[in-house]
Amino acid sequence: MNELLLIWLFPIAISFHNLEEAVWLPRWSENAGRWQKRVEAGSFRFAVVVLTLLAYLVSALTVWGGKQSLGAYLLAGYALAMLLNVVMPHLAACVALKKYAPGTGTAIAFNLPVTFLLLRQMILQNYIELSCFYWAGPLTVVGILTLIPLLFAVGRKLTADS
C-alpha cells in the first residue's frame, strides 16, 4: 500500500476512534472501576480533539518534511502509541471487565491495521531508520502519555468541568 495514502489514513482512523471514545467513554468510565478513572465529558472531549488535530499535524509534517524528517519520526511514534493503545487499555479492559470498552471496535477495525501498515511502510520506504526509531518511538509515546493529563487540565478550565 502506498505510504502517502497510509500517512493520511492515520489521522482519519484516529478521528473515527476518538469520535467513538468522545461519545461513549465518559459515561462508561463512571462504572469502569480500576480500568478507567472517571473522566468528565468536556475535558475528555477537549483532549481527544487536540490529540486528533495533532495526528493531522504530524501527518502534514511528514508529507512536507519527507523521509527522515522530524515529522516522520513523530508520526511513527504516534502510530506506535496508537498500536499499543489497541492492546492497553482497550483489549485488556474488555477481557478484564467481560464487556465492551468504548474505542475497542475502532481500535481493532481502523487503528490496528492502519498503524501496523503505516509503520511497516515507513520502515520499508526509509521514512524512518530503525536505529533512530528504537528510541524516538518510545520517547514519542511517553510524550503523548505526558500530554494527556495536561490536556485534561486545560480542558477542565475551558469547559468548566469540576
Side-chain angles (χ1 to χ4, degrees):
M1 185 174 270
N2 180 306
E3 66 272 5
L4 188 59
L5 175 62
L6 287 167
I7 289 168
W8 288 115
L9 280 177
F10 176 75
I12 293 168
I14 300 306
S15 296
F16 283 116
H17 176 69
N18 285 350
L19 179 61
E20 180 186 4
E21 287 187 335
V23 171
W24 287 289
L25 192 133
R27 180 148 191 156
W28 177 85
S29 74
E30 295 172 5
N31 299 308
R34 65 184 172 106
W35 284 97
Q36 175 65 54
K37 182 179 167 186
R38 187 176 183 276
V39 295
E40 297 293 332
S43 58
F44 180 77
R45 290 175 181 147
F46 172 81
V48 296
V49 165
V50 172
L51 290 168
T52 303
L53 293 173
L54 186 61
Y56 283 93
L57 175 63
V58 296
S59 292
L61 289 173
T62 302
V63 170
W64 294 330
K67 295 179 178 183
Q68 307 296 316
S69 66
L70 175 62
Y73 285 98
L74 290 173
L75 177 61
Y78 200 158
L80 176 63
M82 296 310 293
L83 187 59
L84 295 172
N85 181 257
V86 173
V87 177
M88 187 64 184
H90 293 294
L91 289 176
C94 287
V95 169
L97 297 172
K98 295 181 176 80
K99 65 180 182 177
Y100 185 77
T104 305
T106 51
I108 294 169
F110 301 120
N111 294 358
L112 179 62
V114 169
T115 57
F116 175 79
L117 290 172
L118 175 62
L119 286 169
R120 182 179 177 273
Q121 280 303 108
M122 290 184 86
I123 293 165
L124 291 175
Q125 297 300 321
N126 297 314
Y127 269 79
I128 57 172
E129 289 183 20
L130 279 177
S131 61
C132 188
F133 179 68
Y134 287 146
W135 62 266
L139 188 61
T140 304
V141 172
V142 169
I144 292 168
L145 290 173
T146 303
L147 181 60
I148 291 170
L150 297 172
L151 291 173
F152 280 169
V154 172
R156 273 192 297 278
K157 293 207 181 291
L158 294 175
T159 63
D161 284 345
S162 52

